[in-house]
Amino acid sequence: MADFSPDIRAFCCHYTAQQLCAEGVEQRRQDGLPDNVVIHRVPCTGKLMVSTLLAAFEDGADGVYVVGCPEDRCHNLMGSRRAAKRVGAVRAALAELAVEPERIAMFHLERGFHPEFVQAAQEMVSRVAALGPSPFKGGSR
Amino acid sequence: MIIAQRKPIPEILGMVAPYRRVLLLGCRGCVSVCSAGGDREVEILASLLRLGRQKAGQELAVVEAALVRQCDREYVESVDRWDGQYDAILSMACGVGVNFLANLLPMTPVYPAVNTTFYGGSAEQGVWTEQCAGCGNCILHLTGGLCPMARCAKSLQNGPCGGSVGGRCEIHPSVPCIWQLIHDRLERLGRKEQLLAIAPIRDWSAAGHAGPRTLVRDDLTL
Ligand code: SF4
Ligand code: SF4
């Protein structure tokens, strides 16, 4: 499993992601954003549904995370708090299925592409790499 | 409305273990209002069941659907439209819905995906509280509109019991003593003397203690 490169899906709100999109792929790479993180931009993380997060796992993700605004300074007031609740619901469901809840996480970050954003991505990659491939992928164990 | 809560996923996976194709049937009535079994919850559970099966290295085909109500023959009959597409039905409606499906489909395995719990109301977002026990002989006109059958741990008709302390119920100190609330409310309304009347021993047959209840309205039957 040493060369296992996890498939990570990140869902970021427009406000967190806009700058990142402006950076362009090369710049992002130079800044240290891992290549195996696929970023999905949503208008507001509060718009994310539990089923969307689960669908990412069904689609083969090894790990999923959501990046929204700081809890008390969400651009859309309550969006990132709602998202955190839904991430919590998925964590609970993973636990019920005896799958590591750490495969999904919520990060509350300031807007824009900055070191903390890159750190969150790196953290998820190393965390999920240590867990190994998603147990939902038939035959991967 | 009827309040329900999804069963633990492993329990549901166990129920449908023998089947390859399941019709996951939500209800757009009460269980959708209390976020237990409406369209959205169908989508979530379908995903979780597929993931659970995948984890075990197997597949599950889930037909996702919801009826306007599962407690109404008129709507339940429309389940015919999925004929031949499933081996069993997993219903996300309350127990009434599951019974109705089972009544109508003698040869189809039908399973409950939720625990039906009580008649309640939404106290605040995400919080539901029991308000009525469907006792069949309502006494709210005597109790200031607050129900001791449902909200008193002992269902006392003449209360409070001797255990109420500081306005809290002795069984669950987190819950207010409903009889204290009834007293306070009748006092505020200037109807305190109403409490002096002794409620006679209740005939529990109306509450279902004499078997299943049926209601017939001649003005509505055809
Ligand atoms: S089937 Fe149950 S949940 Fe659905 S409307 Fe009827 S009583 Fe409510
Ligand atoms: S007295 Fe009976 S019918 Fe009336 S609210 Fe209480 S449980 Fe419901």
Side-chain angles (χ1 to χ4, degrees):
Chain A
M1 206 174 284
D3 53 357
F4 165 60
S5 167
D7 174 342
I8 306 283
R9 316 284 171 91
F11 293 88
C12 308
C13 83
H14 171 72
Y15 302 94
T16 309
Q18 60 184 357
Q19 185 140 6
L20 172 126
C21 295
E23 296 278 338
V25 179
E26 265 319 306
Q27 184 59 42
R28 273 186 268 172
R29 213 174 261 158
Q30 270 176 33
D31 288 330
L33 193 79
D35 273 345
N36 45 344
V37 174
V38 175
I39 293 177
H40 300 272
R41 183 162 67 152
V42 292
C44 169
T45 53
K47 171 84 180 130
L48 281 170
M49 295 188 299
V50 170
S51 50
T52 309
L53 301 172
L54 291 174
F57 284 107
E58 283 202 65
D59 190 44
D62 297 300
V64 174
Y65 70 99
V66 177
V67 187
C69 307
E71 276 201 56
D72 51 347
R73 287 195 307 288
C74 177
H75 179 87
N76 293 312
L77 307 181
M78 300 284 281
S80 66
R81 269 192 241 180
R82 289 203 177 92
K85 291 270 187 177
R86 289 173 195 159
V87 166
V90 177
R91 284 178 70 88
L94 292 183
E96 275 196 79
L97 289 169
V99 168
E100 308 87 350
E102 298 77 29
R103 287 186 186 274
I104 185 159
M106 176 82 203
F107 295 89
H108 293 279
L109 299 178
E110 297 293 345
R111 294 186 202 186
F113 188 53
H114 42 65
E116 288 77 15
F117 187 91
V118 175
Q119 270 165 30
Q122 290 170 345
E123 187 184 324
M124 276 312 283
V125 170
S126 60
R127 189 191 298 175
V128 176
L131 292 174
S134 157
F136 296 129
K137 289 180 185 166
S140 61
R141 297 203 139 169
Chain B
M1 78 189 124
I2 294 181
I3 309 295
Q5 192 180 20
R6 188 179 71 209
K7 284 178 173 287
I9 301 158
E11 187 183 339
I12 304 175
L13 279 168
M15 290 176 195
V16 300
Y19 308 107
R20 271 192 321 110
R21 302 173 309 164
V22 166
L23 171 60
L24 181 58
L25 203 53
C27 173
R28 299 198 176 116
C30 316
V31 290
S32 108
V33 184
C34 70
S35 296
D39 291 84
R40 186 168 296 187
E41 291 75 28
V42 165
E43 207 183 335
I44 294 170
L45 182 58
S47 194
L48 289 170
L49 294 179
R50 284 190 299 263
L51 286 169
R53 273 291 181 94
Q54 261 166 253
K55 186 170 171 254
Q58 297 151 358
E59 276 186 19
L60 180 69
V62 185
V63 178
E64 300 170 40
L67 299 180
V68 173
R69 280 196 296 279
Q70 284 185 36
C71 55
D72 210 321
R73 240 193 117 127
E74 186 187 339
Y75 297 113
V76 173
E77 276 169 354
S78 70
V79 77
D80 287 351
R81 92 190 96 132
W82 295 287
D83 254 1
Q85 296 176 41
Y86 58 86
D87 311 319
I89 300 180
L90 184 57
S91 165
M92 294 195 85
C94 72
V96 180
V98 181
N99 272 271
F100 254 56
L101 286 166
N103 289 342
L104 208 75
L105 304 169
M107 298 302 291
T108 306
V110 181
Y111 297 93
V114 305
N115 287 321
T116 307
T117 39
F118 53 80
Y119 301 167
S122 170
E124 56 187 272
Q125 193 173 324
V127 179
W128 292 271
T129 53
E130 181 164 17
Q131 304 292 326
C132 166
C135 76
N137 191 3
C138 193
I139 55 163
L140 291 180
H141 55 302
L142 303 174
T143 59
L146 305 175
C147 178
M149 308 316 292
R151 299 171 67 185
C152 163
K154 302 168 188 174
S155 291
L156 293 180
Q157 284 203 99
N158 293 289
C161 69
S164 168
V165 179
R168 317 302 290 181
C169 173
E170 75 168 338
I171 307 286
H172 304 290
S174 61
V175 173
C177 165
I178 194 66
W179 272 107
Q180 176 83 51
L181 295 184
I182 293 169
H183 275 251
D184 296 351
R185 182 165 160 80
L186 289 177
E187 184 166 35
R188 277 198 306 275
L189 296 174
R191 283 163 50 200
K192 208 174 161 192
E193 73 294 338
Q194 211 170 292
L195 292 164
L196 296 173
I198 308 282
I201 291 173
R202 171 176 277 260
D203 172 2
W204 285 98
S205 59
H209 292 229
R213 296 167 277 182
T214 299
L215 174 70
V216 181
R217 286 267 308 266
D218 281 333
D219 55 333
L220 297 176
T221 53
L222 294 175

